[in-house]
Amino acid sequence: MTASKRISDKLKHRIIALDGPGGSGKSTTARLLAARLGYNYLDTGAMYRALTYVALKNRVLPSDAVELKKIADSADIRFETHADVNRVFINGQEVTQEIRTPDVTRHVSEVSAHKCVREAMVTRQKELGKSGSIVAEGRDTTTVVFPHADIKVYLDASIDVRAQRRLLDLQRAGIASTLEEQIEDLKRRDAFDSRRAHSPLTRAGDAVVVDTSDMTIDQQVDEIIRLLTRAIDRA
Ligand code: C5P
């Protein structure tokens, strides 16, 4: 058996969980990692964003847990992932761009803080990871969704770097913003996501911290594969 065959066999059917604040590099890293390993990519933030989009469209208030739960239980959320884009569909409608608008971003933390909403989403997320071969990313994938993941990573980066990345994403989508607005928005969401009562953003005790401030995406992907391989060898 060749060395590369041995590595690929070893890496089959694993669960990789990445958490961290917005702009820490989770989404791009997870998507490319999934493409490299032939895994599925699960963007849990996109699920909460899709739910928020539908709620706002139907004039459901982000504080209305009962109505949000109804949407969470009935919504058909699907992904179509390619190496360069993760397309998101809810109830058959593509919402890939719509879920990234400032309006959705402003309200998603309040929507996702409700216990009943989280329970509905986490049940679906666990189901999607049942057969392994998945890279999941979000705020609670290492602590609540996949506490037994083969490797748990907490990605972080300085607030300036994170805001700069978010600004670039928005510019690419044709949405005007400023660095100051992005810094404010990230600080607000970091505080809200870390202090909420249910599944707050926190570093799992056994998660490896990777600071991506000075790393390229390729370096991040390589580093996580290295950490996964090391974790498997140690198990
Ligand atoms: O990762 P992204 O910035 O798209 O996530 C949007 C928001 O969704 C987060 O700020 C957080 O409020 C919520 N979220 C969550 N739990 C997750 C993923 C995202 O509460 N697992």
Side-chain angles (χ1 to χ4, degrees):
M1 199 189 288
T2 64
S4 64
K5 173 83 172 75
R6 263 200 309 278
I7 288 170
S8 63
D9 280 351
K10 196 161 66 173
L11 294 180
K12 268 184 191 159
H13 308 304
R14 303 288 175 172
I15 296 181
I16 301 175
L18 311 179
D19 282 333
S24 56
K26 300 183 305 287
S27 302
T28 313
T29 306
R31 187 166 33 78
L32 293 178
L33 195 54
R36 176 99 71 92
L37 296 173
Y39 282 18
N40 290 316
Y41 164 47
L42 176 58
D43 179 350
T44 60
M47 295 176 75
Y48 291 104
R49 284 175 178 272
L51 189 64
T52 304
Y53 168 77
V54 171
L56 294 176
K57 202 172 146 199
N58 291 293
R59 303 196 182 285
V60 170
L61 291 175
S63 56
D64 189 343
V66 174
E67 286 304 313
L68 290 171
K69 161 100 166 85
K70 283 186 199 161
I71 303 175
D73 282 339
S74 62
D76 175 26
I77 302 175
R78 287 181 197 283
F79 296 106
E80 211 182 87
T81 310
H82 306 276
D84 56 343
V85 68
N86 183 37
R87 297 178 70 193
V88 186
F89 299 82
I90 187 159
N91 301 329
Q93 182 197 350
E94 177 165 13
V95 291
T96 310
Q97 308 281 346
E98 289 80 351
I99 64 170
R100 306 282 161 197
T101 59
D103 200 26
V104 169
T105 301
R106 207 170 302 121
H107 294 103
V108 62
S109 289
E110 187 176 354
V111 168
S112 60
H114 297 291
K115 186 166 185 267
C116 56
V117 168
R118 302 205 69 81
E119 283 168 354
M121 290 292 144
V122 168
T123 301
R124 289 169 182 231
Q125 292 156 8
K126 284 183 188 281
E127 187 65 29
L128 290 168
K130 228 171 45 186
S131 45
S133 303
I134 195 164
V135 186
E137 54 103 347
R139 302 295 187 287
D140 61 347
T141 67
T142 58
T143 53
V144 176
V145 187
F146 300 118
H148 306 299
D150 293 283
I151 182 73
K152 303 187 210 178
V153 179
Y154 187 91
L155 290 182
D156 210 347
S158 71
I159 184 82
D160 286 347
V161 168
R162 294 195 286 124
Q164 191 65 52
R165 287 174 181 162
R166 277 284 141 109
L167 188 62
L168 264 178
D169 286 346
L170 287 174
Q171 283 170 350
R172 279 194 204 110
I175 298 172
S177 185
T178 64
L179 190 63
E180 289 69 32
E181 277 172 3
Q182 290 312 305
I183 289 176
E184 277 319 301
D185 181 66
L186 284 171
K187 281 186 177 167
R188 182 186 59 78
R189 280 199 295 140
D190 286 354
F192 199 103
D193 293 344
S194 314
R195 290 184 198 143
R196 69 181 174 217
H198 310 293
S199 317
L201 168 65
T202 181
R203 181 169 89 75
D206 52 354
V208 182
V209 179
V210 175
D211 187 327
T212 67
S213 302
D214 298 315
M215 292 171 86
T216 64
I217 293 293
D218 280 344
Q219 287 171 334
Q220 291 166 38
V221 172
D222 288 344
E223 175 64 1
I224 292 167
I225 292 179
R226 189 187 70 76
L227 292 171
L228 173 63
T229 309
R230 195 183 65 177
I232 294 168
D233 286 342
R234 285 183 176 171

